[in-house]
Each structure stands twice: as structure tokens, then as C-alpha cells.
């Protein structure tokens, strides 16, 4: 059994207003086959929105990598990639 992919969804203010609320639907949207491969956590500000070099909110950390400008489909695609790796 491989390790779970940890997904941390920032729901601090900057991320929330930029669409993190949609990404929080991830848990419901994940196909059953992926559900037990993923561990989802919410977080208050991860700090990336404070650094212009990080890119745009919302930020989601997936398996330790930060995704800027995250959307639900992008997060889902990345989880699929990691789950198949
Ligand atoms: S509110 Fe998300 S990184 Fe700051």
C-alpha cells in the first residue's frame, strides 16, 4: 500500500476569495478509486499569498508541491498523475 497523497487546501481569505471554496469540494468529487489514496486537509493561510513570487491564489499543496492558481480540475489532474506514478 503506497503512502497517501497529502492535499492541503488553503482557505485563508486571499485563497478563499480567489476560488478555494470550489476546491474544497474535492472530497466529494474524488472518484472512489482515489479516495483512499488521498488525505485532504484545510488550512488557514499557508503564507504563499504574501509572496508575489509564489504566483496567484488559490494555493493548494499536493504531495508537498505547491500549486498556484489552483482549480478543482487542475488539482484532480495532479492527484491522478501522482496516484498513477
Ligand atoms: S490565504 Fe492562502 S496562502 Fe494566504
Amino acid at each position: 500500500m503506497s503512502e497517501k497523497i497529502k492535499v492541503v487546501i488553503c482557505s485563508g481569505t486571499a485563497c478563499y476569495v480567489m476560488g478555494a471554496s470550489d476546491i474544497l469540494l474535492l472530497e466529494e468529487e474524488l472518484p472512489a478509486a482515489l479516495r483512499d489514496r488521498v488525505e485532504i486537509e484545510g488550512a488557514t493561510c499557508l503564507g504563499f499569498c504574501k509572496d508575489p513570487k509564489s504566483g496567484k491564489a488559490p494555493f493548494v499543496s499536493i504531495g508537498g508541491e505547491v500549486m498556484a492558481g489552483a482549480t478543482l480540475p487542475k488539482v484532480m489532474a495532479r492527484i491522478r498523475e501522482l496516484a498513477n506514478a
Side-chain angles (χ1 to χ4, degrees), residues 10-15 45-50 59:
C10 181
S11 50
T13 313
C15 289
C45 185
L46 295 170
F48 301 113
C49 63
K50 310 253 189 311
F59 295 97

Side-chain angles (χ1 to χ4, degrees), residues 26-85:
L26 178 66
E27 194 140 29
E28 291 153 41
E29 301 277 316
L30 266 185
L34 287 177
R35 211 161 278 176
D36 43 344
R37 298 289 317 277
V38 178
E39 188 186 321
I40 302 172
E41 258 176 40
T44 53
C45 185
L46 295 170
F48 301 113
C49 63
K50 310 253 189 311
D51 183 354
K53 287 197 290 292
S54 304
K56 281 203 173 75
F59 295 97
V60 178
S61 163
I62 306 169
E65 275 169 35
V66 180
M67 178 187 284
T71 60
L72 186 53
K74 275 166 73 181
V75 169
M76 198 81 97
R78 185 65 188 136
I79 291 171
R80 278 187 215 279
E81 273 173 31
L82 290 173
N84 294 327

